Amino acid sequence: MSIGANIKRFRKERKLTQVELAEKSSLSRSYLADIEGDRYNPSVETLKSIAEALNIPTHHLLDEDNAPPPAWATSKDLRDFKKMLLEDTPVMFDGVPLDQDDKDKVMKVMEAIFWDAKKKNKRKPIEE
């Protein structure tokens, strides 16, 4: 998916109109429409504004293979995930620091584990 398609997908998942997302990210609606339509390539600052308004990490807008957060995720869940992603701790395997490509792979696995754990914690116990 393109950057524009990712923005549109995340916007629709959050049930936002272009006007609402444009206001939240301090953009004009027409400029946002042009970005979603892949007529303009947004700057890094614009992407950061849009990602912040959508409450997602910026790299989700860039990643073609990135699965969106589950529909049941609350804004608190998204903040928790963002906090986990932003922690600046070295990623090591057997005492050896991982390169960026390997870190990205680990992050994708961690993301899947994170959402699975959140979902399990949200399940209500079955009353007998």
Side-chain angles (χ1 to χ4, degrees):
M1 275 189 171
S2 67
I3 291 171
N6 282 340
I7 292 169
K8 184 175 184 177
R9 183 189 73 203
F10 283 113
R11 176 179 61 78
K12 288 187 174 228
E13 284 175 0
R14 283 152 182 74
K15 296 179 177 32
L16 294 171
T17 65
Q18 283 183 342
V19 171
E20 291 167 330
L21 180 56
E23 287 174 1
K24 286 182 163 210
S25 54
S26 302
L27 302 171
S28 72
R29 195 233 27 106
S30 61
Y31 182 53
L32 179 61
D34 286 337
I35 293 171
E36 284 186 358
D38 294 318
R39 291 180 289 279
Y40 289 113
N41 290 319
S43 69
V44 172
E45 289 305 313
T46 298
L47 285 175
K48 286 180 182 178
S49 295
I50 293 170
E52 188 173 310
L54 292 169
N55 199 25
I56 59 173
T58 306
H59 75 270
H60 280 214
L61 300 177
L62 304 172
D63 192 349
E64 294 177 6
D65 299 325
N66 197 17
W72 52 260
T74 65
S75 59
K76 182 186 180 309
D77 294 334
L78 295 170
R79 278 193 310 271
D80 288 348
F81 182 66
K82 188 175 182 179
K83 181 180 175 186
M84 180 190 78
L85 286 178
L86 294 176
E87 288 180 359
D88 191 24
T89 56
V91 180
M92 311 274 264
F93 180 75
D94 203 19
V96 178
L98 299 180
D99 64 19
Q100 191 58 48
D101 187 46
D102 288 336
K103 284 181 190 178
D104 292 342
K105 290 174 187 173
V106 169
M107 288 307 294
K108 286 185 187 259
V109 172
M110 287 177 63
E111 180 176 4
I113 292 168
F114 177 90
W115 290 124
D116 187 52
K118 278 286 190 179
K119 186 175 185 178
K120 286 177 183 174
N121 287 336
K122 288 183 180 297
R123 290 188 190 143
K124 295 180 180 176
I126 299 172
E127 295 183 28
E128 295 180 24

